[in-house]
């Protein structure tokens, strides 16, 4: 749906692409090609939507800092990528699946490495998923069935503000007619966050001791006896862990919602493997599930697109003509820090702002191409920059919510810029010509 010349348009069922909740019930008012009102979004989503307009103050492309046409920029970027021996495509968590597909096609034709933001957030969840499988469910099941919610290493009150109210603890569900009163909420974290105030039980765990606590829970759920020594130095008492194990076994439908506090702490993918196995153990007693709290709007989408096309969710290398997966070898930070990448295409991401120093230095040394909706630390140093419309505002496409449910975004504002899919599609076509010749 496009917002055209009508003086005032109210667009319902707008999808917010800002965080992994991908709320699809927003109502947006558009006047004179400006968003002037937003209903039902949280503060983050509202600020994101109201921060966009139809302004065209940036050129459609820049080459060496000078304005360029789209065709000229595609030609320069395609040649840089085709000439590289070990190119990298990175980012993609804030664009839509149809564009992500083009990025995978580009990596294939270039025999490049393609990696996404998952490798620096929930990569350990993806590795655990690859090794033992992910016993998960939909947010609809959580809303309608869950009576025990365990947030582990996540702070949804600040990172996913509508998670409590729309999907998990507060809404009334088919089998939870009293909403919050029918549920117990547990928060496990290394410090009290604003989310702790929304929990019935807050368990403050010592940093880096998640695996020990999860393993103790596995033993208790399996009926094995453990003593205080098994949980020494975890920050929790044996009684607290026994109490949690009993709650898990006796609930009707439980869910563990894991955040980066678990994926990025000591143990990393082993923490997640332990959680997935714990959930499997709980099947002997009740129904349980686990779900990663995914951050960016479509980071779940790029994992899905990569997995359905290559078999792997991130860090995929095509240099031998077929996909290979090896985190640590084919993940962006590692490739860049070792100085192996000799050209990079960054899509809808700003690694120069967040990557470790050595990886940033390498990005600044090599030919860098950036596709983004706005100026960023990465676009400031890129040799070629494409400006594109924002997914969910200027461009429509498919997003995956954190539970893997695909949702179609709407276009709420017109845009003078091409979308990510168009730019990537043109790069695929031109690189294919160059590689074939
Ligand atoms: S919770 Fe996330 S998806 Fe929902 S409105 Fe807020 S920022 Fe947007």
């Amino acid at each position: 749906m496009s917002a055209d010349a009508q003086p005032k348009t109210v667009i319902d069922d707008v999808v917010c692409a800002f965080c992994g909740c991908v709320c699809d019930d927003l109502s947006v008012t558009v006047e004179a090609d400006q968003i002037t009102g937003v209903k039902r979004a949280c503060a983050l989503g509202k600020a994101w939507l109201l921060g966009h307009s139809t302004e065209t103050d940036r050129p459609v492309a820049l080459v060496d800092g000078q304005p360029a046409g789209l065709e000229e920029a595609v030609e320069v970027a395609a040649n840089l990528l085709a000439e590289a021996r070990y190119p990298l495509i990175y980012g993609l968590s804030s664009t839509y699946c149809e564009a992500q597909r083009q990025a995978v096609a580009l990596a294939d034709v270039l025999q490049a490495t393609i990696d996404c933001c998952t490798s620096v957030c929930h990569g350990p969840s993806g590795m655990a998923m690859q090794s033992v499988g992910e016993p998960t469910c939909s947010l609809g099941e959580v809303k309608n069935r869950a009576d025990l919610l365990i947030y582990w290493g996540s702070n949804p009150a600040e990172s996913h503000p509508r998670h409590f109210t729309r999907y998990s603890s507060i809404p009334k569900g088919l089998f939870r007619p009293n909403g919050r009163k029918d549920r117990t909420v547990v928060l496990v974290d290394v410090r009290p966050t604003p989310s702790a105030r929304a929990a019935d039980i807050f368990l403050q765990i010592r940093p880096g001791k998640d695996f020990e606590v999860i393993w103790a829970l596995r033993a208790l759920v399996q009926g094995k006896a453990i003593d205080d020594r098994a949980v020494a130095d975890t920050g929790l008492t044996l009684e607290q862990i026994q109490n949690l194990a009993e709650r898990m076994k006796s609930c009707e439908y439980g869910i563990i919602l894991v955040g980066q506090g678990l994926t990025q702490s000591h143990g990393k993918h082993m923490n997640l493997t332990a959680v997935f196995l714990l959930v499997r153990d709980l099947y002997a007693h009740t129904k349980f599930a686990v779900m990663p709290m995914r951050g960016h709007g479509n980071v779940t989408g790029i994992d899905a697109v990569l997995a359905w096309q290559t078999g792997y969710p991130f860090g995929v290398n095509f240099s031998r003509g077929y996909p290979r997966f090896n985190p640590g070898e084919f993940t962006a930070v590692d490739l860049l820090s070792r100085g192996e990448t000799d050209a990079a295409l960054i899509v809808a991401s700003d690694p120069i702002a967040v990557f470790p120093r050595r990886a940033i230095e390498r990005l600044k040394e090599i030919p860098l191409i950036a596709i983004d909706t706005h100026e960023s630390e990465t676009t400031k140093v890129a040799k070629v920059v494409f400006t594109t419309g924002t997914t969910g505002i200027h461009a429509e496409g498919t997003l995956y919510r954190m539970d893997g449910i695909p949702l179609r975004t709407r276009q709420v504002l017109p845009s003078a810029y091409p979308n990510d899919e168009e730019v990537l599609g043109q790069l695929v076509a031109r690189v294919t010509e160059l590689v074939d010749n």
Side-chain angles (χ1 to χ4, degrees):
M1 181 182 294
S2 68
D4 47 27
Q6 296 172 35
K8 181 172 179 177
T9 308
V10 176
I11 307 171
D12 292 323
D13 303 326
V14 170
V15 174
C16 175
F18 188 75
C19 90
C21 283
V22 193
C23 300
D24 60 348
D25 61 342
L26 276 49
S27 184
V28 170
T29 303
V30 176
E31 294 176 76
D33 289 344
Q34 298 285 333
I35 296 174
T36 55
V38 179
K39 285 187 184 163
R40 287 185 284 282
C42 70
L44 295 178
K46 194 170 181 180
W48 178 70
L49 280 154
L50 290 172
H52 284 82
S53 68
T54 54
E55 286 173 13
T56 54
D57 51 344
R58 297 180 69 210
V60 69
L62 294 166
V63 176
D64 291 321
Q66 299 302 312
L70 181 59
E71 197 175 331
E72 177 192 350
V74 166
E75 185 64 25
V76 175
N79 275 278
L80 291 172
L81 290 169
E83 287 163 9
R85 289 173 56 84
Y86 205 15
L88 168 70
I89 300 172
Y90 177 79
L92 297 154
S93 59
S94 295
T95 189
Y96 52 105
C97 294
E98 291 80 357
Q100 293 165 345
R101 284 177 61 175
Q102 294 290 352
V104 178
L106 185 58
D108 193 1
V109 72
L110 282 167
Q111 297 194 322
T113 301
I114 181 165
D115 191 22
C116 60
C117 305
T118 293
S119 72
V120 292
C121 62
H122 271 279
S125 306
M127 292 168 69
M129 199 186 307
Q130 289 276 320
S131 60
V132 298
E134 183 190 38
T136 192
C137 65
S138 72
L139 285 169
E141 286 178 272
V142 174
K143 172 184 165 182
N144 285 306
R145 296 176 183 276
D147 58 340
L148 177 63
L149 308 163
I150 302 173
Y151 287 90
W152 200 307
S154 68
N155 178 16
E158 292 185 322
S159 60
H160 301 78
R162 294 187 79 206
H163 201 274
F164 286 139
T165 54
R166 186 152 196 257
Y167 300 112
S168 59
S169 65
I170 293 172
K172 293 177 179 170
L174 191 61
F175 301 104
R176 304 293 156 221
N178 302 307
R180 181 67 179 85
K181 292 188 186 126
D182 287 340
R183 311 181 202 267
T184 301
V185 179
V186 179
L187 184 80
V188 184
D189 212 337
V190 296
R191 62 188 172 87
T193 62
S195 297
R197 289 196 290 274
D200 301 296
I201 301 167
F202 172 57
L203 298 174
Q204 185 159 357
I205 196 168
R206 190 158 291 159
K209 292 294 178 183
D210 304 87
F211 183 87
E212 285 82 347
V213 173
I214 300 162
W215 219 248
L217 284 167
R218 286 199 71 199
L220 293 168
V221 166
Q222 291 174 18
K224 294 172 181 158
I226 60 171
D227 60 28
D228 291 321
R229 289 171 299 172
V231 295
D233 299 327
T234 61
L236 303 181
T237 64
L238 181 58
E239 289 70 31
Q240 285 175 302
I241 297 171
Q242 285 171 328
N243 178 280
L244 182 57
E246 285 307 313
R247 286 181 186 276
M248 291 171 130
K249 289 194 304 185
S250 60
C251 73
E252 291 181 3
Y253 193 114
I255 174 89
I256 305 177
L257 298 136
V258 294
Q260 285 190 57
L262 191 59
T263 64
Q264 298 302 317
S265 72
H266 184 69
K268 292 203 169 186
H269 64 287
M270 292 308 297
N271 293 339
L272 276 298
T273 301
V275 170
F276 290 6
L277 291 174
L278 169 61
V279 169
R280 197 189 287 178
D281 295 337
L282 283 158
Y283 286 175
H285 304 275
T286 187
K287 178 74 180 113
F288 230 93
V290 60
M291 190 182 301
M293 296 284 290
R294 305 308 306 273
H296 293 125
N298 199 28
V299 70
T300 306
I302 181 59
D303 288 10
V305 169
L306 272 168
W308 88 52
Q309 298 208 3
T310 74
Y312 308 113
F314 67 97
V316 181
N317 175 270
F318 284 97
S319 61
R320 288 191 184 161
Y322 56 87
R324 290 184 295 157
F325 174 63
N326 194 12
E329 183 179 8
F330 301 134
T331 31
V333 168
D334 305 281
L335 284 168
L336 290 163
S337 299
R338 292 194 300 263
E340 295 172 4
T341 302
D342 61 350
L345 168 63
I346 309 297
V347 185
S349 182
D350 191 11
I352 296 270
V354 295
F355 270 12
R357 182 179 54 80
R358 285 179 62 189
I360 293 171
E361 285 171 358
R362 185 62 180 169
L363 279 170
K364 290 180 176 175
E365 288 168 5
I366 61 177
L368 185 60
I369 301 147
I371 301 175
D372 215 334
T373 59
H374 56 278
E375 187 180 70
S376 68
E377 296 305 310
T378 302
T379 65
K380 283 180 193 167
V381 299
K383 181 174 176 62
V384 183
V385 178
F386 296 93
T387 304
T388 50
T390 301
T391 300
I393 293 178
H394 307 116
E396 61 180 45
T398 306
L399 305 183
Y400 275 62
R401 208 167 60 185
M402 67 167 71
D403 56 348
I405 301 296
L407 295 162
R408 186 84 186 163
T409 63
R410 306 192 135 195
Q411 181 185 0
V412 295
L413 290 178
S415 175
Y417 297 115
N419 58 44
D420 294 337
E421 185 183 6
E422 289 165 354
V423 173
L424 285 162
Q426 290 190 31
L427 284 172
V428 172
R430 186 61 187 127
V431 166
T432 302
E433 289 174 358
L434 292 168
V435 169
D436 286 349
N437 290 327

